[in-house]
Amino acid sequence: MFTVGIIGRPNVGKSTLFNRLAGKRIAIVDDMPGVTRDRLEYIAEWEGKKFKIVDTCGYDLREELLKKEMIKQFYASLDEADFFVLLVDAKEGLHPLDEMVCNILREREKKFIVVANKVDNEKLQSFVADFYQLGVEEIIPISATHGKNVDILLDKIIENYVEDEEVTDFIDSIKVVVVGRPNVGKSSLINSWLGDERLIVTPIPGTTRDSVDTYFEYNSKKYTLIDTAGIRKKSVMFKDKIEKYGFYRSYDAIRRADIAVGLIDATEGVTERDVKVIADAYEAGRPVVLAINKWDAINKDEKVGKKFKEEIAEKFKFLNNPPVIFISALTRKNIFKIFDAVDNLYAEYSKRIQTSKLNKLLEHVQMLHQPPVVKNRRVKFYYMTQVDIKPPHFVIFVNYPDSVHFSYKRFIVNQLRENFGFKGVPLIVSYRKRGEET
């Protein structure tokens, strides 16, 4: 797919422009340099043309470990995009790093357009001339924050658009979010799937701050892979403003995903934080594949494996028999088995049951276990229908909805699973008085 990279030094507004082109707030935006650490991707559309936009980390020369990893990401993005938007800051004027990035693009023979950001008023328009020192014929002044002239920029992108012979459309792909506490290997797993260091991996907790979408095809099936910030306790994460954004972004990612891969570090066992993070994903209505990472680092025998499985079964019994896969993101062992589990869960997650079958089950349920009498009134079930999928949602019409005991509700859910499957999938069953809208 035709790919447009947004490139430049830190804090010129790349993420703000990315969000503007995407039409939604995807990248974390803050005045602090270095907020964007991984490459973010989104499929945008203009004038009937679909293209991928990539938000890159800013080009910087500081020597910290994290900065070195970000520079690696910067250079990797140069090989990925077909056309670049070199974003500069009109308010600050020409910067030596702007010249360096421009020279890098020329050396690599990359097509690009210089775009001066933060031109929020006519007074700032005159500042744009400074950037002609870069030796370019055209500069587009914009305000990414207010949307000024972004349509002109999009027109310029379409002028340089090259149609792919095979345009891969991931809009209907299965969205897979990888969740877990910090440093369990979420970014490493996605990089291992891709065979490419697209996401920054360091021993520093909190390296990933954005929820990063990556488009991926495996066995002729399309997936959107979503890496998330490691979720720690709110009391810890909320001390840092950017990490707080990452916390909310992670939960947004879970809500827009179809399936969650809950990653657990085998060397540390199942912790309370693991259970909490994965429970949050399931309670949000997302089926979970449990992936036990770093299994290669365990000195194990049959007893160790059996004990670990028993611990998982006990602590995650609320997941209703989830798939469990022992993997190594480092050696790539078993990592692609996760997609088999994802496909199976997605089929169950998307399943619809005919209303006639549901009502036969409802009759059978009442024969097996007669509804209770509440305040001298027998609870009577009239009708059941499925109103939604992903997650499956059923509505049962009953004379006294508030009188259905939780134990009977659990009995009905168990009968749904026993008769129709839904293994590992959260189910929603609502009770309404006859005559109410579904």
Side-chain angles (χ1 to χ4, degrees), residues 371-431:
V373 175
V374 178
K375 295 181 180 179
N376 295 321
R377 299 182 297 186
R378 168 100 32 209
V379 175
K380 186 174 182 181
F381 295 94
Y382 299 112
Y383 185 78
M384 184 195 298
T385 187
Q386 184 174 355
V387 296
D388 208 353
I389 58 172
K390 300 193 300 186
H393 183 185
F394 304 89
V395 173
I396 298 176
F397 293 93
V398 60
N399 55 350
Y400 304 119
D402 296 336
S403 298
V404 183
H405 195 267
F406 79 89
S407 61
Y408 203 84
K409 291 179 179 179
R410 185 175 57 199
F411 173 61
I412 289 175
V413 169
N414 289 339
Q415 287 297 308
L416 280 167
R417 294 190 186 280
E418 188 175 316
N419 285 269
F420 302 119
F422 297 114
K423 182 179 177 182
V425 173
L427 299 182
I428 302 172
V429 181
S430 303
Y431 295 83

Side-chain angles (χ1 to χ4, degrees), residues 136-137 177 254:
V136 295
E137 294 181 1
V177 63
I254 288 168

Side-chain angles (χ1 to χ4, degrees), residues 64-264:
E64 300 99 315
L65 172 63
L66 192 59
K67 294 296 180 184
K68 287 182 179 179
E69 292 297 321
M70 290 167 70
I71 286 296
K72 283 172 62 178
Q73 290 292 304
F74 172 86
Y75 278 106
S77 69
L78 291 174
D79 297 324
E80 180 179 338
D82 304 294
F83 183 73
F84 286 90
V85 172
L86 171 53
L87 202 64
V88 295
D89 187 331
K91 287 184 178 178
E92 292 194 12
L94 185 64
H95 189 284
L97 286 175
D98 297 330
E99 297 179 87
M100 293 179 72
V101 175
C102 187
N103 289 334
I104 290 168
L105 290 171
R106 285 200 175 101
E107 287 167 6
R108 302 253 177 150
E109 298 182 341
K110 297 294 182 180
K111 296 182 70 174
F112 66 94
I113 180 76
V114 175
V115 176
N117 190 27
K118 306 183 185 179
V119 183
D120 301 327
N121 54 57
E122 291 301 319
K123 181 181 177 182
L124 291 168
Q125 187 79 31
S126 61
F127 291 18
V128 173
D130 193 27
F131 294 97
Y132 281 105
Q133 296 178 59
L134 294 172
V136 295
E137 294 181 1
E138 182 183 10
I139 298 170
I140 300 177
I142 71 163
S143 170
T145 299
H146 301 109
K148 178 184 176 182
N149 290 344
V150 171
D151 56 337
I152 296 173
L153 171 59
L154 284 163
D155 288 340
K156 179 60 67 173
I157 289 171
I158 297 305
E159 280 181 29
N160 290 273
Y161 185 89
V162 178
E163 190 80 55
D164 283 336
E165 291 182 8
E166 295 182 11
V167 177
T168 307
D169 192 341
F170 285 85
I171 291 174
D172 296 323
S173 60
I174 299 175
K175 296 174 180 61
V176 180
V177 63
V178 183
V179 299
R181 56 191 176 82
N183 277 9
V184 294
K186 298 183 296 298
S187 297
S188 296
L189 174 59
I190 293 181
N191 286 339
S192 293
W193 278 331
L194 300 170
D196 177 24
E197 289 187 23
R198 297 171 62 91
L199 305 177
I200 294 174
V201 180
T202 74
I204 304 167
T207 299
T208 300
R209 285 170 164 175
D210 284 296
S211 296
V212 184
D213 287 14
T214 306
Y215 305 108
F216 178 64
E217 190 165 343
Y218 175 70
N219 279 350
S220 300
K221 292 185 178 180
K222 297 179 180 65
Y223 304 89
T224 299
L225 309 177
I226 310 172
D227 187 25
T228 60
I231 300 174
R232 297 187 278 176
K233 291 182 179 179
K234 278 188 181 181
S235 58
V236 175
M237 295 188 77
F238 278 36
K239 289 178 181 177
D240 182 291
K241 182 173 69 170
I242 305 301
E243 199 167 355
K244 181 173 74 172
Y245 291 159
F247 177 89
Y248 287 122
R249 215 40 81 75
S250 293
Y251 281 102
D252 286 343
I254 288 168
R255 282 191 286 271
R256 63 188 173 86
D258 297 309
I259 309 292
V261 175
L263 208 58
I264 296 169

